[in-house]
Amino acid sequence: MTIAGLSSAPDMVALQIRVQGLVQGVGFRPMVWREAHRMQIRGHIRNDGAGVLIVAVGAAAQLEAFIDRITAHPPVLARVDAVQCDPLPLERIPSDFSILDSAPGNVQTGIVPDAASCPDCLREIFDPFARRYRYPFTNCTHCGPRLTIQQEIPYDRSGTTMADFTMCAECAAEYRDPADRRFHAQPIACHRCGPKAWLERADGKPLAFDLFSMLDAVDAACTLLQRGHILAIKGLGGFQLACDATQEDAVARLRRLKAREGKPFALMARDLAIARRYCQIADIEQALLQSPAAPIVLLQAQAGAAVAPSVAPGVRTLGLMLPNTPLHHLMLRRMDRPIVLTSGNRANEPQWTGNDDAKTGLGHIAEYFLLHNRAIVQRVDDSIAVVASGLPRIVRRSRGYAPAPILMPDGFHHAPSVLAMGSELKNTFCLLRQGRAMLSHHIGDLDEALTHADYLRAIRHYAGLFAQAPDIVAVDRHPEYRSSKAGHALAAEQSLPVRAIQHHHAHIAACLIDNGIGLAHPPVLGIALDGLGYGDNGQLWGGEFLLADYRTATRAGTFKPVSLLGGEQAMREPWRNTYAHLMAEIGWARFAMNYAELDLYRFLDAKPRRTLDSMLAHGLNSPPASSCGRLFDAVAAAIGLCRDRAGYEGQAAIEIEQLVDRDTLERENDSLAYPFTIPMLKGAGIPYIEPLAMWQALLGDLQLQTPPPVIAARFHKGLALAISAMAAKIASAGEAEWTVRHAVLSGGVFQNRVLAELVSRRLEQLGFMVWSHHRVPANDGGLSLGQAAIAAAQALSHHE
């Protein structure tokens, strides 16, 4: 780094160096201390509310090299976002370089996410001669809990739940030694002075763990898993439920007791060698598994992988993670097969975090509890990632990623402070301030009362941590979303303006931020495909082509609006979408005349058709929706997937993607892909994707008894071609000055890897530059980031 005026300064100069980013609790200060001593720089360093503040005295050339070194090679968990250097009067030359106590101040720094155990700590817990041998809460500045235990900024022990544990002399010596990797590691502890783990029976009867292990309670938990028991384990961000993933009786019992009807369970394997017995793991997937974030990674299952059938019914992938805390590493030391490790709750509820609450809430599921006495401040679920088109992409952003701030691109640095409330499903919220967006951890679906209460509590917690006083509250345009109602209530309480943001515009804006696209960028073609979102004039949208920038969005194309037969029931019962589509396209008479031999006909004929037809004819609880997600449901049900009922949101779409025959997809001529047309939508003046020809081709294949995997492949390919054709039609229409060549893909449907890769490839062949999600989920988990960006952009425009 070249600093203006420094090279011509006298030999000894003084600088104040402000470093911002993720620089607290990551070993940044001891790293700077070591570099200062190595380079003979004098001065001091301290944490404060804005990050790290350094006063450095030395020769001009030394200082330039020093700044380059500490910013270019920070510790593994650190992230340097900004460095500002200002000259100071040289009144006296300090005798050495020291680390000062933290100073208070306005909070402008980020919080480092919780990090998986580092190699050095793992060596210690498995070394019989180390004093932390088999200690389940071993950590250092390179790993361990952060958000889950942090109560305030700056990140000091007194502001965490470790304040209850007084350090022993040996830990205190490590904590005070700048040369030690545990220097100011706030959760530092050992067997003598730190948290303890123990095992209890769910029925409250006495338990002697030495009946199951000669070592300790954590090892005894392994024996219980091997014997087919279900355990509740207090993890990093909440309780988890575990059982042996190869024992069908245990897995099926867990699924039944947890009321988790069909959604796949996540797995944890002791190490990569065991993981590879069950999953195909490419190098980039291995890097994800072994990263400090240690997310669940969606992997292709090995042929014949011997996991219990109830682990992941209906899919060919497995969600797998490696141990991310010393407790998990120690527990699985003797486990030579994967375990199911799922959130400690009943389906759709938040996971429990307190010991007493967990014993009450999970006592009917778990037979044993592995507990500890380190309190959890913030519930945090496991993150989920996948590799698609050669890039790691976040599906659920939580442990290991949140709440690391996302740097806003050019144009947003002077934006007002925004609190964006997020969506109804897969909720996150977002705090935007001073050019940084703090996207929260995954909250969940707000239709569950406990999750909604946890959402409100988390907003208060983040607001306190980051000293956030918003200028604007951003909400989804849907008036019945609980997040929207909460936003309006909060705004009224604080006399703040509210900006209602269109759902699909927010999806596109989130993807623009994800790709670092600046505020001044011209409009793009945003393709937002999902289940449902509130459109203009109370319409329900879900398959939208928008000409959009951060401030505005114009609807340029859509999918055919088809009735949601039964309203919300159509989201739970995919056959309703099939029936509505067939009635909209060909009607019952033609369907009966041409396809009466099909099992699909017999299934639909057994439904209360007179009632259904009356609902469609009179629009009773059957609002039209241009939903791509419901089209997937309709096609999946037509070929027999989740026909009667979906056990979880998106199940039908997930299973039809999993069913795709790769040979058909990659080698069959495009002429056999199911065709769609693109006429104009009456009364709207925009083109729409018409599926009539697709349905005729699909029903014909059903008559020919074409294998469902081939049907699934032809549907995906045909839909991708239709989406690309619509994009080309919009981009080439009208006057040259608004022709667009940047396509942005967002919305939950684009988590379908098959569709996303087909659409991206085809758009690129047509000459588009394609932007898609990677750091932020394409689903509603990224929506709050887009809401914040749009609200900020519109406010900036208003003040111009």
Side-chain angles (χ1 to χ4, degrees):
M1 174 180 288
T2 301
I3 304 166
L6 188 58
S7 57
S8 60
D11 283 346
M12 296 295 285
V13 295
L15 284 179
Q16 176 175 280
I17 307 165
R18 160 65 66 197
V19 185
Q20 292 181 299
L22 299 179
V23 290
Q24 293 189 11
V26 294
F28 192 82
R29 287 178 299 164
M31 180 275 294
V32 170
W33 179 88
R34 288 191 295 271
E35 291 299 325
H37 279 261
R38 185 179 67 83
M39 302 178 73
Q40 298 182 328
I41 303 294
R42 303 176 185 185
H44 63 258
I45 181 173
R46 74 192 321 163
N47 282 345
D48 62 14
V52 162
L53 189 64
I54 304 168
V55 171
V57 178
Q62 282 180 305
L63 290 181
E64 288 193 354
F66 171 68
I67 295 167
D68 283 339
R69 178 68 186 174
I70 65 175
T71 56
H73 303 282
V76 63
L77 298 183
R79 190 186 82 195
V80 175
D81 294 338
V83 180
Q84 180 179 335
C85 299
D86 296 302
L88 292 174
L90 186 58
E91 298 174 351
R92 66 178 183 83
I93 299 175
S95 59
D96 60 6
F97 192 92
S98 58
I99 299 176
L100 304 183
D101 291 339
S102 298
N106 293 330
V107 177
Q108 301 173 35
T109 192
I111 293 177
V112 177
D114 304 283
S117 302
C118 71
D120 288 333
C121 286
L122 291 180
R123 277 191 289 271
E124 286 182 300
I125 66 172
F126 291 123
D127 179 0
F129 301 101
R131 75 183 190 91
R132 290 187 176 87
Y133 174 58
R134 295 197 61 82
Y135 183 57
F137 307 100
T138 300
N139 64 84
C140 69
T141 53
H142 301 152
C143 66
R146 298 293 192 278
L147 173 64
T148 51
I149 65 168
Q150 189 164 351
Q151 296 166 315
E152 61 185 36
I153 293 177
Y155 178 59
D156 288 322
R157 190 179 182 95
S158 60
T160 73
T161 58
M162 288 300 296
D164 296 335
F165 300 92
T166 302
M167 284 182 278
C168 66
E170 289 175 288
C171 285
E174 293 171 322
Y175 183 87
R176 291 192 298 266
D177 183 0
D180 195 289
R181 79 175 197 279
R182 292 194 169 92
F183 175 77
H184 280 226
Q186 306 306 336
I188 187 175
C190 69
H191 287 287
R192 181 181 300 174
C193 65
K196 303 288 190 290
W198 67 92
L199 199 60
E200 291 185 11
R201 289 173 58 115
D203 60 12
K205 294 180 180 178
L207 171 69
F209 76 79
D210 55 5
L211 294 174
F212 307 104
S213 171
M214 299 295 289
L215 290 172
D216 50 38
V218 176
D219 184 67
C222 180
T223 302
L224 293 168
L225 291 169
Q226 292 170 334
R227 294 183 183 180
H229 294 289
I230 297 173
L231 272 67
I233 299 161
K234 189 176 184 181
L236 188 67
F239 274 80
Q240 300 161 316
L241 290 165
C243 70
D244 185 337
T246 66
Q247 298 189 40
E248 171 62 15
D249 178 68
V251 179
R253 191 167 74 254
L254 174 58
R255 186 171 289 285
R256 175 174 53 81
L257 294 172
K258 186 177 161 68
R260 186 170 171 130
E261 189 170 333
K263 193 173 185 179
F265 281 132
L267 304 180
M268 178 178 278
R270 181 185 70 199
D271 52 37
L272 276 172
I274 291 176
R276 284 199 168 96
R277 296 180 200 167
Y278 298 87
C279 299
Q280 300 171 28
I281 303 175
D283 288 348
I284 191 169
E285 291 165 332
Q286 176 179 329
L288 265 177
L289 287 167
Q290 295 180 312
S291 69
I296 298 167
V297 181
L298 301 181
L299 302 165
Q300 196 69 28
Q302 293 281 17
V307 295
S310 293
V311 166
V315 298
R316 295 182 291 192
T317 54
L318 294 172
L320 183 138
M321 59 183 153
L322 297 178
N324 50 71
T325 73
L327 184 145
H328 292 96
H329 279 282
L330 293 167
M331 182 179 70
L332 298 185
R333 184 66 165 174
R334 296 186 292 106
M335 196 75 180
D336 60 358
R337 50 196 183 271
I339 63 169
V340 166
L341 196 69
T342 186
S343 55
N345 54 4
R346 282 179 59 85
N348 300 320
E349 294 177 352
Q351 62 187 141
W352 298 105
T353 57
N355 292 351
D356 292 340
D357 288 340
K359 286 190 283 186
T360 300
L362 303 176
H364 67 293
I365 302 175
E367 299 159 275
Y368 295 89
F369 284 81
L370 182 58
L371 304 170
H372 63 74
N373 58 342
R374 186 178 69 198
I376 297 170
V377 173
Q378 180 60 65
R379 175 187 67 84
V380 178
D381 282 306
D382 294 314
S383 293
I384 304 175
V386 67
V387 174
S389 299
L391 291 174
R393 301 178 190 273
I394 304 302
V395 176
R396 184 168 78 191
R397 187 178 184 270
S398 206
R399 176 187 54 77
Y401 296 103
I406 296 168
L407 294 184
M408 298 295 285
D410 289 346
F412 283 95
H413 298 294
H414 300 293
S417 176
V418 179
L419 168 60
M421 304 298 287
S423 187
E424 183 81 351
L425 303 179
K426 298 180 176 66
N427 179 273
T428 62
F429 57 89
C430 183
L431 311 178
L432 190 155
R433 188 181 67 168
Q434 297 174 333
R436 292 174 173 82
M438 274 68 74
L439 184 61
S440 80
H441 60 286
H442 169 79
I443 301 293
D445 297 350
L446 300 186
D447 56 355
E448 205 290 318
L450 291 175
T451 303
H452 185 258
D454 186 66
Y455 163 69
L456 298 177
R457 191 198 66 79
I459 289 175
R460 291 192 297 270
H461 180 58
Y462 272 61
L465 271 180
F466 295 105
Q468 172 84 339
D471 300 311
I472 300 168
V473 176
V475 301
D476 189 274
R477 191 182 286 177
H478 199 304
E480 295 304 314
Y481 276 6
R482 290 162 182 81
S483 57
S484 299
K485 291 179 177 179
H488 282 286
L490 188 150
E493 180 182 303
Q494 300 182 25
S495 300
L496 297 173
V498 176
R499 290 190 181 269
I501 309 298
Q502 201 280 316
H503 190 91
H504 301 93
H505 188 195
H507 271 308
I508 301 307
C511 192
L512 290 173
I513 296 293
D514 201 350
N515 287 274
I517 308 306
L519 178 60
H521 194 280
V524 299
L525 174 57
I527 306 175
L529 309 181
D530 60 5
L532 284 177
Y534 213 65
D536 291 338
N537 302 318
Q539 297 173 330
L540 296 177
W541 293 358
E544 307 311 315
F545 297 78
L546 306 176
L547 290 170
D549 56 20
Y550 286 111
R551 295 182 173 94
T552 63
T554 301
R555 196 185 197 199
T558 188
F559 276 57
K560 181 175 183 174
V562 176
S563 296
L564 284 177
L565 186 54
E568 289 190 4
Q569 278 185 285
M571 303 176 202
R572 296 186 288 269
E573 299 176 357
W575 67 267
R576 292 176 176 271
N577 301 290
T578 312
Y579 189 86
H581 267 268
L582 292 176
M583 295 308 98
E585 302 301 342
I586 60 177
W588 186 259
R590 284 180 58 196
F591 182 59
M593 180 174 64
N594 294 297
Y595 305 105
E597 76 279 14
L598 295 181
D599 174 68
L600 175 63
Y601 169 84
R602 291 188 292 274
F603 177 89
L604 294 176
D605 192 39
K607 297 297 180 182
R609 289 195 304 103
R610 182 175 297 179
T611 301
L612 300 175
D613 291 343
S614 177
M615 291 170 65
L616 291 173
H618 298 94
L620 299 173
N621 197 24
S622 300
S626 55
S627 172
C628 184
R630 300 291 80 80
L631 174 62
F632 267 88
D633 287 350
V635 173
I639 62 176
L641 299 174
C642 306
R643 181 175 283 171
D644 202 41
R645 189 171 183 277
Y648 58 92
E649 196 259 335
Q651 181 181 4
I654 290 170
E655 292 194 9
I656 193 173
E657 177 195 1
Q658 296 280 312
L659 191 65
V660 166
D661 177 70
R662 302 300 303 195
D663 189 65
T664 300
L665 192 73
E666 295 164 7
R667 298 182 185 178
E668 189 175 77
N669 192 283
D670 286 356
S671 63
L672 293 175
Y674 293 156
F676 293 79
T677 57
I678 307 179
M680 297 299 288
L681 185 62
K682 185 183 296 186
I686 58 173
Y688 74 96
I689 292 178
E690 167 59 68
L692 170 60
M694 182 277 296
W695 281 111
Q696 292 171 329
L698 185 151
L699 292 169
D701 268 350
L702 287 177
Q703 285 180 314
L704 295 172
Q705 297 183 342
T706 301
V710 173
I711 294 176
R714 290 174 177 173
F715 168 67
H716 277 81
K717 186 184 288 188
L719 183 59
L721 290 171
I723 292 166
S724 305
M726 175 70 89
K729 183 180 183 73
I730 293 170
S732 61
E735 299 298 325
E737 59 261 30
W738 64 268
T739 296
V740 292
R741 281 298 173 188
H742 292 89
V744 175
L745 310 183
S746 191
V749 169
F750 279 119
Q751 289 186 166
N752 180 317
R753 280 182 281 179
V754 173
L755 184 69
E757 290 173 0
L758 287 173
V759 170
S760 295
R761 189 183 313 138
R762 181 64 177 162
L763 289 174
E764 287 168 354
Q765 290 169 353
L766 292 171
F768 283 93
M769 176 176 284
V770 180
W771 290 322
S772 55
H773 287 271
H774 52 102
R775 297 181 297 164
V776 173
N779 60 34
D780 282 4
L783 201 75
S784 62
L785 176 62
Q787 292 173 345
I790 293 168
Q794 291 176 348
L796 287 169
S797 178
H798 180 73
H799 291 297
E800 287 177 356

